[in-house]
């Protein structure tokens, strides 16, 4: 997939450049014209100076492309190509896709390179144009005469960055770097993995150990490490013998390799710093190796905000990324989901916003997202207070009073790993053991007269009253769709099965049900 995106990225870049040089005109997609022999087409790109039109016909997966003469509207090629990217090069060649394979045609519609490759993209090396090709998982190189320069026997063949002649290759699961011109190996093909970092540096892995070399094969690091995490091409978090430290690209140690944990703290405003952990204690170290915050915490963890969650003496608080206390260490638990912090104190739950300001007091047994149609997913919270269920907004004001035994969601879902119910405009609620329906602001829609209730859809509910089942519309309590005289009613896969004296089946259609004939 990565190679495919790279191919089409290169093609798109070349196309834009060539269109500027060839004075291509992007034709209106809505215009439909007729070829010289009467076949309808839509022009997609026009090159008047080259007397060329790129045309398409059909739609969707049936769309096909051809090349026409601009002046006569005669077909240079038939409408046979699934893709036609061009004209993309100065010598007026176009990449075409036929029967799922890529090739190249010239301005006369003749095949220069037959359509036999899964991927094909151009590379200029020492002023000469080549084509890097791939087919059935094997890569190689051909020239414009369709002559093989490198046979298709490589698992990987790529020109890294702005390298002049060096090529990253892989064969038999081993990676190396080759000089394209001399065919000599700059880095022998002996490594299990290879990651080009910039036009000069490459990270190589052999077995479980890694090091950094120059692209020409010269050593950068004298040592091998079990992990290398290169940050911003200037510093590297390294692991050796289970211990972590920080070095620069000269292998100078900035933070000694003595920590069990060393994790970068992302920041747009400050110099780099790191959460450091050793022997069960955590602190903060900056990129110069200076201890910003002593190793005195039981845990420090990153969030998606400007704060860190930290634990000390079995209490949790918030720190700034510079190690200052933002919320005191007096909470049993703090969780963050990208919209707010949920805190627990004295077994009660409250909410702080992303500036670490308490916005909902600690009055609730639990709080979780209240999500409903046409709403922001974090606009309110459903919770329990004094044993009753309700909804509170982020100003701390009740949206639905905390007077219900339960509020029943229309469907289950997750909100950033938090299990929650999703609600519709009208909500089945339970109060004092009776079922009814309320709206999103707690106003009664159906009275609390029912012993049981479940959704059929957003307009109908199955209910039990006086120990008999029926179906009623949510929006009109007097509109009884199925009378309350059934022993049971179930709803599965849009089919209602009702049982009175004999079984009955109904299909649901909006706020109506239609009885199925036997």
């Amino acid at each position: 997939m990565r190679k495919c995106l790279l191919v089409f990225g290169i093609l798109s870049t070349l196309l834009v450049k060539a269109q500027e040089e060839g004075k291509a005109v992007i034709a209106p997609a809505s215009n439909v014209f007729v070829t010289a022999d009467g076949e309808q087409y839509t022009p997609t790109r026009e090159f008047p100076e080259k007397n060329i039109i790129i045309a398409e016909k059909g739609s969707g997966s049936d769309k096909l492309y051809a090349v026409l003469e601009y002046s006569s509207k005669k077909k240079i090629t038939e409408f046979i190509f699934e893709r036609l990217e061009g004209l993309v090069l100065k010598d007026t060649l176009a990449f075409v896709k036929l029967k799922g394979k890529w090739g190249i045609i010239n301005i006369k519609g003749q095949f220069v390179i037959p359509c036999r490759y899964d991927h094909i993209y151009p590379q200029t090396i020492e002023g000469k144009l080549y084509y890097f090709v791939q087919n059935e998982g094997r890569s190689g190189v051909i020239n414009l005469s369709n002559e093989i320069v490198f046979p298709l026997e490589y698992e990987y063949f790529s020109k890294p960055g702005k390298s002049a002649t060096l090529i990253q290759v892989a064969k038999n699961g081993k990676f190396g770097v080759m000089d394209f011109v001399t065919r000599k190996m700059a880095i022998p093909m002996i490594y299990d993995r290879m990651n080009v970092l910039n036009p000069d540096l490459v990270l190589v892995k052999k077995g479980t150990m890694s090091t950094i070399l120059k692209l020409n094969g010269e050593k950068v690091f004298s040592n091998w490490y079990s992990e290398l995490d290169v940050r911003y091409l200037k510093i590297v978090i390294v692991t050796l013998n289970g211990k972590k430290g920080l070095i620069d690209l000269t292998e100078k140690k900035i933070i000694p390799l003595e920590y069990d944990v060393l994790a970068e703290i992302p920041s747009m405003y400050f110099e780099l710093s790191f959460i450091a952990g050793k022997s069960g204690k955590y602190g903060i170290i900056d990129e110069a190796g200076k201890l910003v915050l002593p190793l005195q915490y039981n845990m420090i963890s990153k969030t998606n905000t400007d704060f860190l969650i930290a634990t000390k003496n079995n209490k949790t608080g918030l720190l700034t990324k510079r190690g200052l206390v933002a919320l005191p260490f007096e909470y049993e638990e703090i969780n963050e989901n990208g919209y707010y912090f949920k805190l627990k104190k004295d077994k009660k739950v409250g909410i702080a916003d992303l500036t670490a300001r308490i916005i909902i007091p600690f009055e609730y047994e639990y709080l979780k997202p209240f999500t409903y149609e046409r709403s922001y997913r974090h606009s309110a919270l459903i919770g329990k207070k004094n044993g009753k269920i309700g909804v509170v907004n982020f100003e701390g004001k009740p949206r639905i009073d905390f007077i219900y035994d339960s509020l029943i969601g229309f469907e289950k879902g997750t909100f950033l790993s938090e299990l929650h119910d999703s609600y519709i405009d009208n909500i089945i609620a339970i109060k004092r053991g009776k079922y009814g329906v309320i709206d999103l602001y707690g106003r009664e829609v159906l009275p609390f007269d029912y012993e049981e209730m479940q959704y059929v859809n957003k307009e109908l509910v199955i209910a039990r009253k006086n120990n008999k089942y029926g179906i009623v519309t949510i929006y009109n309590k007097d509109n009884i769709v199925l009378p309350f005289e059934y022993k049971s009613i179930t709803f599965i896969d849009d089919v209602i099965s009702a049982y009175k004296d004999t079984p009955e089946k109904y299909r649901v259609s909006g706020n109506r049900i239609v009885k199925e004939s036997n």
Side-chain angles (χ1 to χ4, degrees), residues 229-240:
D229 185 1
V230 181
R231 314 302 295 171
Y232 314 105
L233 292 177
K234 64 175 185 176
I235 54 175
V236 187
I237 301 173
V238 296
T239 307
L240 184 62

Side-chain angles (χ1 to χ4, degrees), residues 361-389:
F362 295 85
E363 300 175 347
Y364 303 90
E365 283 97 271
Y366 73 79
L367 288 168
K368 60 183 180 179
F370 178 70
T371 62
Y372 57 95
E373 293 182 320
R374 302 184 303 279
S375 74
Y376 293 107
R377 294 179 65 85
H378 57 284
S379 60
L381 297 159
I382 184 170
K384 179 183 279 191
K385 182 178 180 181
N386 299 324
K388 295 297 181 181
I389 309 298

Side-chain angles (χ1 to χ4, degrees), residues 66-114:
V67 182
L68 313 179
E69 284 188 354
Y70 182 82
S71 56
S72 68
K73 306 303 183 286
K74 291 181 180 179
K75 288 186 287 185
I76 298 173
T77 73
E78 296 295 327
F79 285 91
I80 59 173
F81 300 110
E82 293 124 42
R83 294 284 298 274
L84 201 159
E85 301 287 347
L87 305 172
V88 296
L89 302 172
K90 288 183 180 179
D91 48 6
T92 63
L93 300 174
F95 292 91
V96 292
K97 189 177 185 182
L98 179 63
K99 296 181 180 179
K101 300 288 186 178
W102 286 92
I104 296 176
I105 60 172
N106 62 20
I107 198 169
K108 297 178 181 180
Q110 300 165 328
F111 281 102
V112 177
I113 294 175

